[in-house]
Amino acid sequence: MEEMRVMKEANTAINSTKTQPMKGAAREENCVSQLYAIMEAVADRAEMHAIIGEQRNNWNHLFLHSINSITLTASIMAGISSIPAALAAPHLLASKLSSALLFTAATGMMLVVNRVQPSQLAEEQRNATRLFRQLEKSIGTTLALRTPTKLDVEEAMARVLALDRAYPLPLLPGMLDKFPKTVKPAVWWPEFDHGQLQKTRRAEGDGWSKELEEEMKGILGVLKRKDEEEYMRWDKLVLNINRILAVSGPLLAGLAAVGAGLIGIPALEPWPALVGVVGGALAATTNTLEHGGQVGMVFELCRNCAGFYLQLEEAIESNLGEKEVENRENGEMLELKMALQLGRSVSELKSFASHVSSSSKNGEATEFAGKLF
């Protein structure tokens, strides 16, 4: 009986040791399948954003030319209706009413277009397309280099959802505020993007040294003081310009509509015709400056550039904030990534960091960290 019990325990132990690798292999295969499913969804999202971005870019061009055509036509008709009654009496009322209606239609269209900012919508979708394609390549690299883990699946899902929040597809509801009270850099990455994830993907050797830490600290300071701050300053300036143009266009078109409606009243002549014609011309000019110049797109571009530098800052801070060096991202790899993203070679980045260190002793550094944009 004792022998049978011992044999039974031995068989159980053997079966358990066989089962454990099988369960581990099944988990790995499940992670691979999940990551491929996420990669397919990411590719589909990139295609959707590309299509919608093209559509919204077309909106910008169509609305720009349509509103300008309506406004200028209304101005011409306002001028015609102001011709002395003896010469154009049969056509005065028709021209005056048509001009007023066209100006009113242009005012309504300007209010809608200035609210949604099609050029900014198109830039949002272009950036989302680029970032989703970047994420797709990142997932493909993970699958090619090593066996993915559950943490890789969670990270990929978090990145997808963060991009969905940063660049929503719906127009209404869910559209980003085009005239925010507080201007902030765009954020398209999840909060845990750095930190715990680094512990699972270290290269052999940490690659960190005292010199590299000082180099990263110097670059971090310049990114905060110069690069991000510069784009935020331009972002606020562009937003204020866009606010002025967004209000001025409909206001001028509305005044032109009132002026066109009052043409023909002897007591007010020649002011109604002057307001109608000049107001329409100014409204068309303002609309061209705002949407032909794509001021909304410039605002979004500056916001995304500030977000790009903010992401680099967080990557450096998360590594320097980790006291255990072995839990950081490989130092040489981080240095290479920073050099590429700032448009510099590794040797040039080292030279820039030493220049920043010497400049900080003598005064503020004058050079920007980023050379890419």
PDB file of all heavy atoms in Angstrom, residues 55-71 105-106 108-119 121 171 283-284 287-288 290-292:
ATOM      1  N   GLN A  55     -11.845  63.965 -45.569  1.00  0.00           N
ATOM      2  CA  GLN A  55     -13.193  64.530 -45.696  1.00  0.00           C
ATOM      3  C   GLN A  55     -13.270  65.913 -45.059  1.00  0.00           C
ATOM      4  O   GLN A  55     -13.818  66.850 -45.654  1.00  0.00           O
ATOM      5  CB  GLN A  55     -14.198  63.590 -45.024  1.00  0.00           C
ATOM      6  CG  GLN A  55     -15.624  64.105 -45.014  1.00  0.00           C
ATOM      7  CD  GLN A  55     -16.467  63.424 -43.941  1.00  0.00           C
ATOM      8  OE1 GLN A  55     -16.073  63.371 -42.784  1.00  0.00           O
ATOM      9  NE2 GLN A  55     -17.602  62.894 -44.337  1.00  0.00           N
ATOM     10  N   ARG A  56     -12.702  66.083 -43.878  1.00  0.00           N
ATOM     11  CA  ARG A  56     -12.780  67.359 -43.176  1.00  0.00           C
ATOM     12  C   ARG A  56     -11.883  68.410 -43.815  1.00  0.00           C
ATOM     13  O   ARG A  56     -12.178  69.606 -43.735  1.00  0.00           O
ATOM     14  CB  ARG A  56     -12.445  67.144 -41.696  1.00  0.00           C
ATOM     15  CG  ARG A  56     -13.573  66.376 -41.017  1.00  0.00           C
ATOM     16  CD  ARG A  56     -13.312  65.971 -39.597  1.00  0.00           C
ATOM     17  NE  ARG A  56     -14.449  65.210 -39.089  1.00  0.00           N
ATOM     18  CZ  ARG A  56     -14.502  64.651 -37.889  1.00  0.00           C
ATOM     19  NH1 ARG A  56     -13.477  64.761 -37.062  1.00  0.00           N
ATOM     20  NH2 ARG A  56     -15.579  63.970 -37.516  1.00  0.00           N
ATOM     21  N   ASN A  57     -10.824  67.982 -44.451  1.00  0.00           N
ATOM     22  CA  ASN A  57     -10.010  68.921 -45.224  1.00  0.00           C
ATOM     23  C   ASN A  57     -10.792  69.438 -46.428  1.00  0.00           C
ATOM     24  O   ASN A  57     -10.716  70.622 -46.781  1.00  0.00           O
ATOM     25  CB  ASN A  57      -8.721  68.229 -45.677  1.00  0.00           C
ATOM     26  CG  ASN A  57      -7.737  69.204 -46.288  1.00  0.00           C
ATOM     27  OD1 ASN A  57      -7.472  70.261 -45.749  1.00  0.00           O
ATOM     28  ND2 ASN A  57      -7.205  68.845 -47.441  1.00  0.00           N
ATOM     29  N   ASN A  58     -11.571  68.546 -47.056  1.00  0.00           N
ATOM     30  CA  ASN A  58     -12.444  68.969 -48.160  1.00  0.00           C
ATOM     31  C   ASN A  58     -13.500  69.956 -47.672  1.00  0.00           C
ATOM     32  O   ASN A  58     -13.840  70.915 -48.375  1.00  0.00           O
ATOM     33  CB  ASN A  58     -13.119  67.754 -48.800  1.00  0.00           C
ATOM     34  CG  ASN A  58     -12.142  66.913 -49.588  1.00  0.00           C
ATOM     35  OD1 ASN A  58     -11.089  67.383 -50.004  1.00  0.00           O
ATOM     36  ND2 ASN A  58     -12.470  65.644 -49.799  1.00  0.00           N
ATOM     37  N   TRP A  59     -14.042  69.712 -46.467  1.00  0.00           N
ATOM     38  CA  TRP A  59     -15.005  70.645 -45.886  1.00  0.00           C
ATOM     39  C   TRP A  59     -14.409  72.043 -45.807  1.00  0.00           C
ATOM     40  O   TRP A  59     -15.079  73.027 -46.143  1.00  0.00           O
ATOM     41  CB  TRP A  59     -15.375  70.205 -44.463  1.00  0.00           C
ATOM     42  CG  TRP A  59     -16.346  69.085 -44.375  1.00  0.00           C
ATOM     43  CD1 TRP A  59     -16.907  68.412 -45.413  1.00  0.00           C
ATOM     44  CD2 TRP A  59     -16.862  68.519 -43.173  1.00  0.00           C
ATOM     45  NE1 TRP A  59     -17.739  67.436 -44.937  1.00  0.00           N
ATOM     46  CE2 TRP A  59     -17.739  67.481 -43.566  1.00  0.00           C
ATOM     47  CE3 TRP A  59     -16.667  68.753 -41.834  1.00  0.00           C
ATOM     48  CZ2 TRP A  59     -18.412  66.699 -42.648  1.00  0.00           C
ATOM     49  CZ3 TRP A  59     -17.339  67.974 -40.910  1.00  0.00           C
ATOM     50  CH2 TRP A  59     -18.209  66.968 -41.312  1.00  0.00           C
ATOM     51  N   ASN A  60     -13.189  72.134 -45.350  1.00  0.00           N
ATOM     52  CA  ASN A  60     -12.560  73.441 -45.180  1.00  0.00           C
ATOM     53  C   ASN A  60     -12.501  74.193 -46.507  1.00  0.00           C
ATOM     54  O   ASN A  60     -12.844  75.381 -46.578  1.00  0.00           O
ATOM     55  CB  ASN A  60     -11.147  73.266 -44.594  1.00  0.00           C
ATOM     56  CG  ASN A  60     -10.493  74.586 -44.268  1.00  0.00           C
ATOM     57  OD1 ASN A  60     -11.032  75.391 -43.503  1.00  0.00           O
ATOM     58  ND2 ASN A  60      -9.339  74.850 -44.859  1.00  0.00           N
ATOM     59  N   HIS A  61     -12.068  73.506 -47.562  1.00  0.00           N
ATOM     60  CA  HIS A  61     -11.967  74.161 -48.876  1.00  0.00           C
ATOM     61  C   HIS A  61     -13.344  74.529 -49.424  1.00  0.00           C
ATOM     62  O   HIS A  61     -13.535  75.632 -49.958  1.00  0.00           O
ATOM     63  CB  HIS A  61     -11.233  73.252 -49.854  1.00  0.00           C
ATOM     64  CG  HIS A  61      -9.790  73.042 -49.516  1.00  0.00           C
ATOM     65  ND1 HIS A  61      -8.865  74.064 -49.537  1.00  0.00           N
ATOM     66  CD2 HIS A  61      -9.110  71.934 -49.130  1.00  0.00           C
ATOM     67  CE1 HIS A  61      -7.680  73.605 -49.184  1.00  0.00           C
ATOM     68  NE2 HIS A  61      -7.796  72.317 -48.935  1.00  0.00           N
ATOM     69  N   LEU A  62     -14.308  73.617 -49.302  1.00  0.00           N
ATOM     70  CA  LEU A  62     -15.640  73.870 -49.849  1.00  0.00           C
ATOM     71  C   LEU A  62     -16.336  75.019 -49.128  1.00  0.00           C
ATOM     72  O   LEU A  62     -16.912  75.911 -49.761  1.00  0.00           O
ATOM     73  CB  LEU A  62     -16.492  72.599 -49.754  1.00  0.00           C
ATOM     74  CG  LEU A  62     -16.074  71.448 -50.672  1.00  0.00           C
ATOM     75  CD1 LEU A  62     -16.849  70.177 -50.336  1.00  0.00           C
ATOM     76  CD2 LEU A  62     -16.294  71.809 -52.135  1.00  0.00           C
ATOM     77  N   PHE A  63     -16.270  75.016 -47.788  1.00  0.00           N
ATOM     78  CA  PHE A  63     -16.906  76.100 -47.032  1.00  0.00           C
ATOM     79  C   PHE A  63     -16.213  77.426 -47.291  1.00  0.00           C
ATOM     80  O   PHE A  63     -16.869  78.474 -47.390  1.00  0.00           O
ATOM     81  CB  PHE A  63     -16.893  75.784 -45.531  1.00  0.00           C
ATOM     82  CG  PHE A  63     -18.014  74.889 -45.086  1.00  0.00           C
ATOM     83  CD1 PHE A  63     -17.766  73.692 -44.450  1.00  0.00           C
ATOM     84  CD2 PHE A  63     -19.331  75.262 -45.292  1.00  0.00           C
ATOM     85  CE1 PHE A  63     -18.795  72.867 -44.042  1.00  0.00           C
ATOM     86  CE2 PHE A  63     -20.384  74.450 -44.888  1.00  0.00           C
ATOM     87  CZ  PHE A  63     -20.105  73.243 -44.257  1.00  0.00           C
ATOM     88  N   LEU A  64     -14.899  77.413 -47.388  1.00  0.00           N
ATOM     89  CA  LEU A  64     -14.156  78.649 -47.637  1.00  0.00           C
ATOM     90  C   LEU A  64     -14.612  79.301 -48.939  1.00  0.00           C
ATOM     91  O   LEU A  64     -14.976  80.486 -48.969  1.00  0.00           O
ATOM     92  CB  LEU A  64     -12.653  78.342 -47.689  1.00  0.00           C
ATOM     93  CG  LEU A  64     -11.748  79.465 -48.195  1.00  0.00           C
ATOM     94  CD1 LEU A  64     -11.772  80.650 -47.239  1.00  0.00           C
ATOM     95  CD2 LEU A  64     -10.322  78.957 -48.399  1.00  0.00           C
ATOM     96  N   HIS A  65     -14.610  78.527 -50.021  1.00  0.00           N
ATOM     97  CA  HIS A  65     -14.965  79.093 -51.332  1.00  0.00           C
ATOM     98  C   HIS A  65     -16.455  79.413 -51.415  1.00  0.00           C
ATOM     99  O   HIS A  65     -16.835  80.428 -52.034  1.00  0.00           O
ATOM    100  CB  HIS A  65     -14.561  78.124 -52.439  1.00  0.00           C
ATOM    101  CG  HIS A  65     -13.077  77.885 -52.504  1.00  0.00           C
ATOM    102  ND1 HIS A  65     -12.165  78.915 -52.616  1.00  0.00           N
ATOM    103  CD2 HIS A  65     -12.341  76.739 -52.472  1.00  0.00           C
ATOM    104  CE1 HIS A  65     -10.942  78.431 -52.646  1.00  0.00           C
ATOM    105  NE2 HIS A  65     -11.016  77.110 -52.555  1.00  0.00           N
ATOM    106  N   SER A  66     -17.295  78.591 -50.802  1.00  0.00           N
ATOM    107  CA  SER A  66     -18.743  78.850 -50.848  1.00  0.00           C
ATOM    108  C   SER A  66     -19.103  80.127 -50.120  1.00  0.00           C
ATOM    109  O   SER A  66     -19.853  80.976 -50.634  1.00  0.00           O
ATOM    110  CB  SER A  66     -19.505  77.666 -50.241  1.00  0.00           C
ATOM    111  OG  SER A  66     -19.257  76.487 -50.966  1.00  0.00           O
ATOM    112  N   ILE A  67     -18.571  80.302 -48.904  1.00  0.00           N
ATOM    113  CA  ILE A  67     -18.903  81.492 -48.118  1.00  0.00           C
ATOM    114  C   ILE A  67     -18.366  82.750 -48.794  1.00  0.00           C
ATOM    115  O   ILE A  67     -19.055  83.780 -48.856  1.00  0.00           O
ATOM    116  CB  ILE A  67     -18.341  81.349 -46.688  1.00  0.00           C
ATOM    117  CG1 ILE A  67     -19.116  80.261 -45.930  1.00  0.00           C
ATOM    118  CG2 ILE A  67     -18.426  82.672 -45.933  1.00  0.00           C
ATOM    119  CD1 ILE A  67     -18.537  79.916 -44.575  1.00  0.00           C
ATOM    120  N   ASN A  68     -17.154  82.670 -49.306  1.00  0.00           N
ATOM    121  CA  ASN A  68     -16.603  83.845 -49.998  1.00  0.00           C
ATOM    122  C   ASN A  68     -17.413  84.206 -51.242  1.00  0.00           C
ATOM    123  O   ASN A  68     -17.652  85.387 -51.526  1.00  0.00           O
ATOM    124  CB  ASN A  68     -15.144  83.595 -50.387  1.00  0.00           C
ATOM    125  CG  ASN A  68     -14.198  83.765 -49.208  1.00  0.00           C
ATOM    126  OD1 ASN A  68     -14.618  84.178 -48.133  1.00  0.00           O
ATOM    127  ND2 ASN A  68     -12.937  83.432 -49.406  1.00  0.00           N
ATOM    128  N   SER A  69     -17.837  83.175 -51.984  1.00  0.00           N
ATOM    129  CA  SER A  69     -18.653  83.443 -53.191  1.00  0.00           C
ATOM    130  C   SER A  69     -19.977  84.085 -52.818  1.00  0.00           C
ATOM    131  O   SER A  69     -20.413  85.063 -53.460  1.00  0.00           O
ATOM    132  CB  SER A  69     -18.897  82.134 -53.944  1.00  0.00           C
ATOM    133  OG  SER A  69     -17.686  81.569 -54.377  1.00  0.00           O
ATOM    134  N   ILE A  70     -20.625  83.580 -51.781  1.00  0.00           N
ATOM    135  CA  ILE A  70     -21.913  84.142 -51.351  1.00  0.00           C
ATOM    136  C   ILE A  70     -21.740  85.577 -50.873  1.00  0.00           C
ATOM    137  O   ILE A  70     -22.526  86.476 -51.227  1.00  0.00           O
ATOM    138  CB  ILE A  70     -22.513  83.260 -50.226  1.00  0.00           C
ATOM    139  CG1 ILE A  70     -22.954  81.904 -50.796  1.00  0.00           C
ATOM    140  CG2 ILE A  70     -23.693  83.954 -49.570  1.00  0.00           C
ATOM    141  CD1 ILE A  70     -23.379  80.903 -49.735  1.00  0.00           C
ATOM    142  N   THR A  71     -20.692  85.806 -50.073  1.00  0.00           N
ATOM    143  CA  THR A  71     -20.479  87.143 -49.500  1.00  0.00           C
ATOM    144  C   THR A  71     -20.169  88.176 -50.583  1.00  0.00           C
ATOM    145  O   THR A  71     -20.729  89.293 -50.578  1.00  0.00           O
ATOM    146  CB  THR A  71     -19.331  87.087 -48.480  1.00  0.00           C
ATOM    147  OG1 THR A  71     -19.593  86.074 -47.519  1.00  0.00           O
ATOM    148  CG2 THR A  71     -19.189  88.422 -47.764  1.00  0.00           C
ATOM    149  N   ALA A 105     -27.392  84.320 -44.925  1.00  0.00           N
ATOM    150  CA  ALA A 105     -26.944  82.930 -45.090  1.00  0.00           C
ATOM    151  C   ALA A 105     -25.443  82.810 -44.814  1.00  0.00           C
ATOM    152  O   ALA A 105     -24.989  81.864 -44.147  1.00  0.00           O
ATOM    153  CB  ALA A 105     -27.260  82.446 -46.503  1.00  0.00           C
ATOM    154  N   ALA A 106     -24.659  83.767 -45.301  1.00  0.00           N
ATOM    155  CA  ALA A 106     -23.209  83.751 -45.067  1.00  0.00           C
ATOM    156  C   ALA A 106     -22.895  83.885 -43.585  1.00  0.00           C
ATOM    157  O   ALA A 106     -21.981  83.219 -43.068  1.00  0.00           O
ATOM    158  CB  ALA A 106     -22.545  84.865 -45.856  1.00  0.00           C
ATOM    159  N   GLY A 108     -24.794  82.890 -41.027  1.00  0.00           N
ATOM    160  CA  GLY A 108     -25.092  81.603 -40.384  1.00  0.00           C
ATOM    161  C   GLY A 108     -24.033  80.554 -40.670  1.00  0.00           C
ATOM    162  O   GLY A 108     -23.603  79.815 -39.771  1.00  0.00           O
ATOM    163  N   MET A 109     -23.595  80.483 -41.928  1.00  0.00           N
ATOM    164  CA  MET A 109     -22.558  79.508 -42.287  1.00  0.00           C
ATOM    165  C   MET A 109     -21.247  79.802 -41.584  1.00  0.00           C
ATOM    166  O   MET A 109     -20.547  78.888 -41.119  1.00  0.00           O
ATOM    167  CB  MET A 109     -22.365  79.502 -43.805  1.00  0.00           C
ATOM    168  CG  MET A 109     -23.548  78.944 -44.575  1.00  0.00           C
ATOM    169  SD  MET A 109     -23.361  79.117 -46.359  1.00  0.00           S
ATOM    170  CE  MET A 109     -22.065  77.929 -46.683  1.00  0.00           C
ATOM    171  N   MET A 110     -20.891  81.100 -41.485  1.00  0.00           N
ATOM    172  CA  MET A 110     -19.658  81.461 -40.775  1.00  0.00           C
ATOM    173  C   MET A 110     -19.718  81.051 -39.312  1.00  0.00           C
ATOM    174  O   MET A 110     -18.717  80.570 -38.747  1.00  0.00           O
ATOM    175  CB  MET A 110     -19.417  82.966 -40.871  1.00  0.00           C
ATOM    176  CG  MET A 110     -18.857  83.432 -42.194  1.00  0.00           C
ATOM    177  SD  MET A 110     -18.504  85.204 -42.124  1.00  0.00           S
ATOM    178  CE  MET A 110     -18.097  85.519 -43.836  1.00  0.00           C
ATOM    179  N   LEU A 111     -20.872  81.246 -38.679  1.00  0.00           N
ATOM    180  CA  LEU A 111     -21.002  80.879 -37.265  1.00  0.00           C
ATOM    181  C   LEU A 111     -20.759  79.384 -37.061  1.00  0.00           C
ATOM    182  O   LEU A 111     -20.064  78.983 -36.126  1.00  0.00           O
ATOM    183  CB  LEU A 111     -22.400  81.254 -36.758  1.00  0.00           C
ATOM    184  CG  LEU A 111     -22.657  82.749 -36.536  1.00  0.00           C
ATOM    185  CD1 LEU A 111     -24.124  83.010 -36.260  1.00  0.00           C
ATOM    186  CD2 LEU A 111     -21.797  83.282 -35.391  1.00  0.00           C
ATOM    187  N   VAL A 112     -21.321  78.570 -37.956  1.00  0.00           N
ATOM    188  CA  VAL A 112     -21.155  77.116 -37.830  1.00  0.00           C
ATOM    189  C   VAL A 112     -19.709  76.702 -38.101  1.00  0.00           C
ATOM    190  O   VAL A 112     -19.098  75.946 -37.336  1.00  0.00           O
ATOM    191  CB  VAL A 112     -22.116  76.390 -38.797  1.00  0.00           C
ATOM    192  CG1 VAL A 112     -21.833  74.892 -38.797  1.00  0.00           C
ATOM    193  CG2 VAL A 112     -23.559  76.649 -38.408  1.00  0.00           C
ATOM    194  N   VAL A 113     -19.150  77.205 -39.198  1.00  0.00           N
ATOM    195  CA  VAL A 113     -17.787  76.813 -39.597  1.00  0.00           C
ATOM    196  C   VAL A 113     -16.765  77.303 -38.582  1.00  0.00           C
ATOM    197  O   VAL A 113     -15.816  76.578 -38.245  1.00  0.00           O
ATOM    198  CB  VAL A 113     -17.466  77.353 -41.007  1.00  0.00           C
ATOM    199  CG1 VAL A 113     -16.022  77.084 -41.373  1.00  0.00           C
ATOM    200  CG2 VAL A 113     -18.387  76.709 -42.039  1.00  0.00           C
ATOM    201  N   ASN A 114     -16.943  78.524 -38.062  1.00  0.00           N
ATOM    202  CA  ASN A 114     -16.008  79.032 -37.060  1.00  0.00           C
ATOM    203  C   ASN A 114     -16.100  78.256 -35.752  1.00  0.00           C
ATOM    204  O   ASN A 114     -15.132  78.205 -34.987  1.00  0.00           O
ATOM    205  CB  ASN A 114     -16.273  80.514 -36.792  1.00  0.00           C
ATOM    206  CG  ASN A 114     -15.914  81.386 -37.974  1.00  0.00           C
ATOM    207  OD1 ASN A 114     -15.349  80.915 -38.956  1.00  0.00           O
ATOM    208  ND2 ASN A 114     -16.247  82.667 -37.894  1.00  0.00           N
ATOM    209  N   ARG A 115     -17.246  77.654 -35.508  1.00  0.00           N
ATOM    210  CA  ARG A 115     -17.404  76.846 -34.290  1.00  0.00           C
ATOM    211  C   ARG A 115     -16.666  75.515 -34.409  1.00  0.00           C
ATOM    212  O   ARG A 115     -16.007  75.079 -33.457  1.00  0.00           O
ATOM    213  CB  ARG A 115     -18.902  76.596 -34.037  1.00  0.00           C
ATOM    214  CG  ARG A 115     -19.206  75.653 -32.891  1.00  0.00           C
ATOM    215  CD  ARG A 115     -18.889  76.291 -31.555  1.00  0.00           C
ATOM    216  NE  ARG A 115     -19.162  75.393 -30.460  1.00  0.00           N
ATOM    217  CZ  ARG A 115     -18.320  74.463 -30.002  1.00  0.00           C
ATOM    218  NH1 ARG A 115     -17.139  74.330 -30.559  1.00  0.00           N
ATOM    219  NH2 ARG A 115     -18.649  73.686 -28.980  1.00  0.00           N
ATOM    220  N   VAL A 116     -16.731  74.856 -35.557  1.00  0.00           N
ATOM    221  CA  VAL A 116     -16.135  73.519 -35.690  1.00  0.00           C
ATOM    222  C   VAL A 116     -14.705  73.548 -36.202  1.00  0.00           C
ATOM    223  O   VAL A 116     -13.956  72.587 -36.010  1.00  0.00           O
ATOM    224  CB  VAL A 116     -17.002  72.617 -36.596  1.00  0.00           C
ATOM    225  CG1 VAL A 116     -18.395  72.440 -36.026  1.00  0.00           C
ATOM    226  CG2 VAL A 116     -17.075  73.141 -38.024  1.00  0.00           C
ATOM    227  N   GLN A 117     -14.286  74.637 -36.881  1.00  0.00           N
ATOM    228  CA  GLN A 117     -12.912  74.786 -37.378  1.00  0.00           C
ATOM    229  C   GLN A 117     -12.465  73.559 -38.199  1.00  0.00           C
ATOM    230  O   GLN A 117     -11.675  72.722 -37.720  1.00  0.00           O
ATOM    231  CB  GLN A 117     -11.960  74.994 -36.200  1.00  0.00           C
ATOM    232  CG  GLN A 117     -12.148  76.299 -35.466  1.00  0.00           C
ATOM    233  CD  GLN A 117     -11.715  77.505 -36.290  1.00  0.00           C
ATOM    234  OE1 GLN A 117     -10.686  77.488 -36.929  1.00  0.00           O
ATOM    235  NE2 GLN A 117     -12.516  78.552 -36.241  1.00  0.00           N
ATOM    236  N   PRO A 118     -12.942  73.417 -39.447  1.00  0.00           N
ATOM    237  CA  PRO A 118     -12.603  72.230 -40.254  1.00  0.00           C
ATOM    238  C   PRO A 118     -11.114  71.990 -40.441  1.00  0.00           C
ATOM    239  O   PRO A 118     -10.657  70.850 -40.465  1.00  0.00           O
ATOM    240  CB  PRO A 118     -13.288  72.517 -41.599  1.00  0.00           C
ATOM    241  CG  PRO A 118     -14.358  73.485 -41.295  1.00  0.00           C
ATOM    242  CD  PRO A 118     -13.852  74.318 -40.166  1.00  0.00           C
ATOM    243  N   SER A 119     -10.313  73.059 -40.572  1.00  0.00           N
ATOM    244  CA  SER A 119      -8.876  72.861 -40.759  1.00  0.00           C
ATOM    245  C   SER A 119      -8.242  72.233 -39.520  1.00  0.00           C
ATOM    246  O   SER A 119      -7.329  71.406 -39.614  1.00  0.00           O
ATOM    247  CB  SER A 119      -8.186  74.186 -41.087  1.00  0.00           C
ATOM    248  OG  SER A 119      -8.230  75.082 -39.989  1.00  0.00           O
ATOM    249  N   LEU A 121      -9.941  70.300 -37.369  1.00  0.00           N
ATOM    250  CA  LEU A 121     -10.435  68.916 -37.366  1.00  0.00           C
ATOM    251  C   LEU A 121      -9.577  68.026 -38.264  1.00  0.00           C
ATOM    252  O   LEU A 121      -9.246  66.891 -37.904  1.00  0.00           O
ATOM    253  CB  LEU A 121     -11.891  68.884 -37.845  1.00  0.00           C
ATOM    254  CG  LEU A 121     -12.955  69.464 -36.915  1.00  0.00           C
ATOM    255  CD1 LEU A 121     -14.293  69.523 -37.644  1.00  0.00           C
ATOM    256  CD2 LEU A 121     -13.082  68.650 -35.651  1.00  0.00           C
ATOM    257  N   LEU A 171     -18.009  64.056 -34.614  1.00  0.00           N
ATOM    258  CA  LEU A 171     -18.015  65.517 -34.696  1.00  0.00           C
ATOM    259  C   LEU A 171     -18.835  66.097 -33.553  1.00  0.00           C
ATOM    260  O   LEU A 171     -18.379  66.981 -32.827  1.00  0.00           O
ATOM    261  CB  LEU A 171     -18.578  65.961 -36.049  1.00  0.00           C
ATOM    262  CG  LEU A 171     -18.492  67.455 -36.357  1.00  0.00           C
ATOM    263  CD1 LEU A 171     -17.045  67.912 -36.383  1.00  0.00           C
ATOM    264  CD2 LEU A 171     -19.164  67.767 -37.689  1.00  0.00           C
ATOM    265  N   ALA A 283     -15.831  90.971 -44.576  1.00  0.00           N
ATOM    266  CA  ALA A 283     -16.213  89.644 -44.081  1.00  0.00           C
ATOM    267  C   ALA A 283     -15.547  88.553 -44.904  1.00  0.00           C
ATOM    268  O   ALA A 283     -15.052  87.551 -44.363  1.00  0.00           O
ATOM    269  CB  ALA A 283     -17.734  89.483 -44.124  1.00  0.00           C
ATOM    270  N   ALA A 284     -15.514  88.731 -46.231  1.00  0.00           N
ATOM    271  CA  ALA A 284     -14.847  87.751 -47.095  1.00  0.00           C
ATOM    272  C   ALA A 284     -13.347  87.710 -46.818  1.00  0.00           C
ATOM    273  O   ALA A 284     -12.740  86.628 -46.797  1.00  0.00           O
ATOM    274  CB  ALA A 284     -15.104  88.097 -48.566  1.00  0.00           C
ATOM    275  N   ASN A 287     -12.794  85.881 -43.472  1.00  0.00           N
ATOM    276  CA  ASN A 287     -13.015  84.440 -43.652  1.00  0.00           C
ATOM    277  C   ASN A 287     -11.834  83.786 -44.363  1.00  0.00           C
ATOM    278  O   ASN A 287     -11.416  82.674 -44.023  1.00  0.00           O
ATOM    279  CB  ASN A 287     -14.297  84.225 -44.455  1.00  0.00           C
ATOM    280  CG  ASN A 287     -14.672  82.765 -44.558  1.00  0.00           C
ATOM    281  OD1 ASN A 287     -14.916  82.094 -43.561  1.00  0.00           O
ATOM    282  ND2 ASN A 287     -14.716  82.245 -45.779  1.00  0.00           N
ATOM    283  N   THR A 288     -11.271  84.497 -45.354  1.00  0.00           N
ATOM    284  CA  THR A 288     -10.109  83.971 -46.075  1.00  0.00           C
ATOM    285  C   THR A 288      -8.893  83.868 -45.157  1.00  0.00           C
ATOM    286  O   THR A 288      -8.158  82.876 -45.191  1.00  0.00           O
ATOM    287  CB  THR A 288      -9.778  84.860 -47.278  1.00  0.00           C
ATOM    288  OG1 THR A 288     -10.928  84.935 -48.136  1.00  0.00           O
ATOM    289  CG2 THR A 288      -8.601  84.306 -48.069  1.00  0.00           C
ATOM    290  N   GLU A 290      -8.891  83.479 -41.919  1.00  0.00           N
ATOM    291  CA  GLU A 290      -9.081  82.445 -40.894  1.00  0.00           C
ATOM    292  C   GLU A 290      -8.994  81.041 -41.456  1.00  0.00           C
ATOM    293  O   GLU A 290      -8.263  80.189 -40.934  1.00  0.00           O
ATOM    294  CB  GLU A 290     -10.431  82.650 -40.191  1.00  0.00           C
ATOM    295  CG  GLU A 290     -10.657  81.640 -39.074  1.00  0.00           C
ATOM    296  CD  GLU A 290     -11.964  81.850 -38.354  1.00  0.00           C
ATOM    297  OE1 GLU A 290     -12.800  82.645 -38.834  1.00  0.00           O
ATOM    298  OE2 GLU A 290     -12.175  81.195 -37.313  1.00  0.00           O
ATOM    299  N   HIS A 291      -9.751  80.777 -42.532  1.00  0.00           N
ATOM    300  CA  HIS A 291      -9.846  79.401 -43.046  1.00  0.00           C
ATOM    301  C   HIS A 291      -8.920  79.148 -44.232  1.00  0.00           C
ATOM    302  O   HIS A 291      -8.456  78.020 -44.410  1.00  0.00           O
ATOM    303  CB  HIS A 291     -11.297  79.089 -43.411  1.00  0.00           C
ATOM    304  CG  HIS A 291     -12.220  79.197 -42.235  1.00  0.00           C
ATOM    305  ND1 HIS A 291     -12.176  78.308 -41.181  1.00  0.00           N
ATOM    306  CD2 HIS A 291     -13.185  80.098 -41.938  1.00  0.00           C
ATOM    307  CE1 HIS A 291     -13.090  78.658 -40.282  1.00  0.00           C
ATOM    308  NE2 HIS A 291     -13.716  79.742 -40.716  1.00  0.00           N
ATOM    309  N   GLY A 292      -8.638  80.187 -45.028  1.00  0.00           N
ATOM    310  CA  GLY A 292      -7.636  80.026 -46.073  1.00  0.00           C
ATOM    311  C   GLY A 292      -6.241  79.914 -45.466  1.00  0.00           C
ATOM    312  O   GLY A 292      -5.401  79.121 -45.909  1.00  0.00           O
TER     313      GLY A 292
END
